[in-house]
Amino acid sequence: MRRRTCVHSECISEDQLSIINLFRKLWEQHANWTRAFIVSAVAGLEDLDVVTQRLLRNPTDFANVLRNYYGDEKAKKFEKLLSDHLLLAADLLNAAKAGDEEAADMARRKWYFNASDIALFLSEINPYWSEDRWKILLFDHLRMVEEIATLRMQGQYAREIPVTDMNEERALSMADYLAAGIIRQFSL
């Protein structure tokens, strides 16, 4: 017999809870390692290479989970899109740090186009994911990541904290939306 967990008269199975927790972990890691990268890159810390390597493992971790539901080809496509997302964020940060406004604007445009591509891709593989909803979630995330980086570069650490907290909440919203779509699509 499968156990169910109930909160406020809403019940979910242990399998559903595991999926929700797994995607929450992956999106939390995405947000946390992105911020760690920003901190290390802005400060020129010696851990930048290892932090970057860990951050760039996140798309592979996502792909390994998504492969179970969508197969290898779609998992690899998501991995590529999310890897590009991280590399474009690094380009934007490096351009901003160097004071190259033109390069920063170009990186920012590419970053948002990439987010649109991610939103479209997700909406195409799962009928319970809306492209518009993903754009809202992802664009909010991008805006907050850029704000975190800007505040960090300006040395406004106290102002960075609430934005980091909001970005964590956004990451959890993305995780819950992702998990809910998979649970519905695959009747889990």
Side-chain angles (χ1 to χ4, degrees):
M1 171 183 255
R2 289 189 169 171
R3 294 179 40 105
R4 298 183 73 73
T5 301
C6 300
V7 177
H8 303 295
S9 76
E10 301 244 353
C11 297
I12 60 173
S13 71
E14 286 184 1
D15 289 344
Q16 291 170 333
L17 186 59
S18 291
I19 291 167
I20 293 165
N21 285 337
L22 179 57
F23 283 113
R24 282 180 155 243
K25 175 182 172 184
L26 290 171
W27 279 110
E28 281 262 354
Q29 289 173 344
H30 180 82
N32 291 335
W33 287 109
T34 297
R35 183 177 180 278
F37 172 82
I38 292 167
V39 169
S40 295
V42 168
L45 299 178
E46 292 179 16
D47 70 346
L48 181 59
D49 286 341
V50 294
V51 168
T52 301
Q53 288 172 16
R54 176 56 186 88
L55 174 60
L56 291 175
R57 192 181 88 197
N58 185 250
T60 302
D61 293 342
F62 266 103
N64 288 337
V65 175
L66 292 174
R67 187 171 285 110
N68 297 321
Y69 302 101
Y70 298 105
D72 193 51
E73 183 180 325
K74 290 176 181 166
K76 283 182 180 178
K77 180 161 184 180
F78 184 79
E79 181 177 11
K80 172 82 168 96
L81 287 166
L82 194 58
S83 294
D84 290 348
H85 160 81
L86 296 171
L87 295 172
L88 290 166
D91 290 346
L92 175 55
L93 177 64
N94 291 329
K97 189 176 169 187
D100 187 340
E101 202 55 44
E102 186 177 324
D105 286 342
M106 176 65 77
R108 185 180 299 107
R109 280 193 300 276
K110 288 179 180 179
W111 199 31
Y112 276 85
F113 283 133
N114 167 265
S116 292
D117 289 344
I118 292 171
L120 175 62
F121 172 73
L122 291 173
S123 71
E124 289 175 343
I125 66 170
N126 187 310
Y128 299 102
W129 292 331
S130 156
E131 179 181 1
D132 290 338
R133 175 81 172 135
W134 272 116
K135 279 185 181 180
I136 290 167
L137 292 167
L138 290 165
F139 286 9
D140 280 352
H141 168 65
L142 299 186
R143 180 188 52 75
M144 286 183 265
V145 167
E146 187 171 5
E147 188 173 355
I148 290 165
T150 300
L151 292 168
R152 172 66 46 173
M153 286 187 292
Q154 295 170 347
Q156 296 186 33
Y157 310 120
R159 289 187 56 209
E160 177 193 341
I161 298 301
V163 180
T164 298
D165 288 343
M166 287 187 302
N167 191 47
E168 181 181 27
E169 288 298 318
R170 176 55 66 217
L172 293 174
S173 295
M174 290 189 286
D176 292 345
Y177 189 58
L178 193 74
I182 288 175
I183 288 167
R184 288 183 71 193
Q185 183 178 18
F186 296 97
S187 302
L188 302 174

